[in-house]
Amino acid sequence: MKLFKFLILLSVFISNCLVALPALNMGLTLGYGFSMKSQPGQDIAVSTALTNRYGAATTKSGLHLLGLTLGYLLTPIPKLTQLQSIIGVGLYQSTMKYHGTEIPAINYGGGDSLNYSYDDKSTALVLESKWLYNLKGWQPYVLIGLGLSNNRLANYSEVPTNPAGTAAPIAPYNDHSSQSFAYELALGVQKKIDQHFQLSADLRDLSYGDEFLTAPKGQYYNGNAKFKADALALYGIAINASYQF
C-alpha cells in the first residue's frame, strides 16, 4: 500500500515537472499538529540480566512545524488559465516530545515505575507539487511532496513516578539519527493579497519514517539494544505566506 501511494505521488509530480517554469515563488510555513497514534510499548533487554518494560509513549505537546519553500508558478494547460501549479522544494523541521511509563526489571517481578521522556526532531527536504484553481479570488489547492528526512531522537531521561519509591533511573539511551523516505499531503485554500503576496492555510499529513535510540555501551549494558519508535505520522494545520516575483 505504501509503495502504491508512493508511485501515484511520484507520477503526478513528474508529470508536473515536464512543463515550462515562468515565475519564482518563495514561502514561509508555520504549523501546529499532533500525532494520531501513540508509540507502542516494548520490552527491552538492557543487559544480560535486566529486562525493562516500556509502556506506550504519548505526546503531551503538539507538533511544531517550520518550513521554507521555493518553487515556480506555471499554467500547465494554456487554455485553462484558472488552473495553476507550483513546483519546487520545501525544507521542513518538526519537533515533538514523548512521555511514557517504564517498569524496570520485569524479569525479576518488576517494581516501582519510572516516567521516561524523549525529544523527536525531524528535518525533511521534499520535492513539492502544488495544484491551485482560481475561484473568485480564492484558490483551493492540493499539495503533494516526496523526499528524504533526517530523524533524531534525543534527550532521553527517566525520573521515579513516586519519589519515595525504590525504582532508580538507568544510564540514559544515546541520541540517534536515522534517514528515511518522507512524504506530505495537504488540502487547503490560498488567498491573493496583491500582485505579489499570498496567504494560505491547509490540513497536512506528514510522514517521516521509523526512528530509534541506542543503549549505552559498557560493562553492564547490552550495546545492541534499541529503543524503537514507529514511523512518525503527523497531522496538523499549516499557515503559509508566500511572495511571487
Side-chain angles (χ1 to χ4, degrees), residues 131-199:
W131 292 80
L132 309 100
Y133 190 83
N134 291 307
L135 191 64
K136 295 182 179 180
W138 296 88
Q139 295 176 299
Y141 65 84
V142 174
L143 179 145
I144 62 173
L146 301 171
L148 296 174
S149 65
N150 182 74
N151 307 315
R152 184 169 179 80
L153 298 186
N155 302 322
Y156 180 91
S157 65
E158 298 177 348
V159 295
T161 304
N162 178 5
T166 59
I170 66 167
Y173 286 92
N174 295 322
D175 300 350
H176 185 265
S177 297
S178 58
Q179 291 69 47
S180 180
F181 163 72
Y183 75 83
E184 61 174 341
L185 298 171
L187 181 64
V189 63
Q190 178 172 286
K191 175 67 175 177
K192 296 194 72 170
I193 305 303
D194 59 25
Q195 183 180 357
H196 297 287
F197 286 98
Q198 302 91 33
L199 290 176

Side-chain angles (χ1 to χ4, degrees), residues 37-41 55-59 98-100 116 118 227:
K37 63 178 183 179
S38 61
Q39 295 293 348
T58 58
T59 177
Y98 281 94
H99 303 261
Y116 71 86
Y118 59 89
F227 185 101

Side-chain angles (χ1 to χ4, degrees), residues 39-224:
Q39 295 293 348
Q42 53 193 310
D43 292 349
I44 302 177
V46 296
S47 72
T48 56
L50 184 64
T51 299
N52 294 340
R53 174 162 294 167
Y54 299 84
T58 58
T59 177
K60 295 182 180 179
S61 61
L63 159 75
H64 297 87
L65 175 69
L66 174 65
L68 295 173
T69 58
L70 179 65
Y72 286 93
L73 177 68
L74 54 94
T75 303
I77 305 176
K79 293 184 179 181
L80 185 59
T81 57
Q82 297 96 329
L83 181 65
Q84 293 182 313
S85 183
I86 298 174
I87 65 170
V89 296
L91 179 65
Y92 297 97
Q93 186 173 90
S94 306
T95 58
M96 298 187 76
K97 192 175 188 68
Y98 281 94
H99 303 261
T101 301
E102 168 198 350
I103 301 177
I106 61 168
N107 50 325
Y108 292 105
D112 293 332
S113 63
L114 297 161
N115 295 335
Y116 71 86
S117 65
Y118 59 89
D119 296 328
D120 191 331
K121 181 177 180 180
S122 295
T123 302
L125 180 65
V126 294
L127 300 174
E128 293 186 328
S129 177
K130 183 177 181 179
W131 292 80
L132 309 100
Y133 190 83
N134 291 307
L135 191 64
K136 295 182 179 180
W138 296 88
Q139 295 176 299
Y141 65 84
V142 174
L143 179 145
I144 62 173
L146 301 171
L148 296 174
S149 65
N150 182 74
N151 307 315
R152 184 169 179 80
L153 298 186
N155 302 322
Y156 180 91
S157 65
E158 298 177 348
V159 295
T161 304
N162 178 5
T166 59
I170 66 167
Y173 286 92
N174 295 322
D175 300 350
H176 185 265
S177 297
S178 58
Q179 291 69 47
S180 180
F181 163 72
Y183 75 83
E184 61 174 341
L185 298 171
L187 181 64
V189 63
Q190 178 172 286
K191 175 67 175 177
K192 296 194 72 170
I193 305 303
D194 59 25
Q195 183 180 357
H196 297 287
F197 286 98
Q198 302 91 33
L199 290 176
S200 63
D202 59 59
L203 298 175
R204 195 165 298 209
D205 172 9
L206 305 167
S207 179
Y208 291 137
D210 296 341
E211 307 163 273
F212 61 89
L213 292 158
T214 59
K217 297 182 183 297
Q219 181 179 359
Y220 301 105
Y221 297 99
N222 174 14
N224 295 320

Side-chain angles (χ1 to χ4, degrees), residues 25-36:
N25 187 283
M26 297 180 63
L28 173 67
T29 300
L30 299 174
Y32 186 82
F34 55 91
S35 177
M36 289 293 288

